[in-house]
Structure formats: structure tokens, C-alpha cells
Amino acid sequence: MSPTLIKAIIFITLALILYTIGVWTEKIGKTLKPFHLIFFWAGLICDSLGTFLMSKLTDSAESKALSLHGITGAIAIILMMVHAVWATVVLVKKDEKSLHTFHRFSLFVWIVWLVPYILGMMMGMGR
């Protein structure tokens, strides 16, 4: 296993751990707090770094081809970015209704994020 692959796996696994902690502690607590925001942003950063490192490992023909993993991965990163920015806005505005209902969007984004994560694991195990 190459050092780049090991780093990519570590970052993507950290993203899973951080994002899961943020989403589920928010859902269980039923209120968005600054604590959750730290986990959302950290998860996004780790996922982006892991994705960047993984992309360095693919050859040019593979990386140009559209795949279910690539499409769902791009959607997931975009949703994570929207999620983190929106959570920041909600916290800054201190909108009570949004603070108490934001966990619904968080859970949706987390589930969407799991799709490319699981697809990537299945692809990796197939090699």
C-alpha cells in the first residue's frame, strides 16, 4: 500500500468519525451548537484532503470517466460545504427554530455522504 493511499484512507476515515460525531450529537441534543460546527468543518476538511489524495492515485483515464462513486462523491462534498456554511449562518443568526430543526438536514447530508464512502470501500476491497 502506498503512503499516499494510507494518508487518504486516514483522512477519509477521520472525516467519517468527525462528521458522524457532529451529526449524531446534534440529532441527540436536538439543538445546533458551535461544538457541532467544529465537527462539520473538520469533517469537510478531512474528506476534501482524503479525496484530493485519492484523486492523485488514479490514472488520467480513470479520473476522467464519470462513475457512480465520482458523481456521488462530488454531490456529497458539495452538500457538506452547503451544510457547514448553512450551519454557520444559523448559529450566527441565532434563529431558534432553525437551531432546533437543523438536525434534519444534517442527517440527510450524512446519509448522502455515506453512499460514496461505502462505494469507495467496496471498490477498494475489490482490488
Side-chain angles (χ1 to χ4, degrees):
M1 209 180 295
S2 77
T4 303
L5 179 58
I6 292 169
K7 289 175 192 171
I9 291 169
I10 289 169
F11 276 117
I12 290 174
T13 302
L14 273 173
L16 173 66
I17 293 166
L18 294 166
Y19 213 65
T20 299
I21 290 170
V23 168
W24 283 99
T25 57
E26 179 203 4
K27 176 151 178 55
I28 291 166
K30 295 188 178 12
T31 303
L32 179 63
K33 297 178 181 167
F35 168 82
H36 302 120
L37 196 60
I38 293 166
F39 283 97
F40 298 158
W41 282 105
L44 173 61
I45 290 166
C46 286
D47 191 44
S48 298
L49 286 169
T51 301
F52 170 74
L53 291 169
M54 284 288 186
S55 72
K56 289 176 65 174
L57 297 171
T58 60
D59 66 26
S60 59
E62 256 185 85
S63 62
K64 289 179 183 173
L66 291 179
S67 68
L68 181 60
H69 180 251
I71 293 167
T72 58
I75 291 168
I77 287 181
I78 290 166
L79 275 173
M80 286 175 79
M81 177 74 73
V82 168
H83 178 251
V85 169
W86 190 7
T88 303
V89 169
V90 167
L91 279 167
V92 168
K93 287 186 174 184
K94 297 179 182 171
D95 176 359
E96 284 301 315
K97 182 180 179 198
S98 295
L99 288 169
H100 295 289
T101 59
F102 194 80
H103 65 274
R104 295 178 196 153
F105 182 57
S106 297
L107 192 58
F108 168 76
V109 173
W110 180 77
I111 290 168
V112 169
W113 185 86
L114 283 176
V115 172
Y117 182 84
I118 292 168
L119 286 173
M121 276 191 347
M122 289 171 41
M123 289 169 52
M125 289 188 310
R127 290 184 184 184

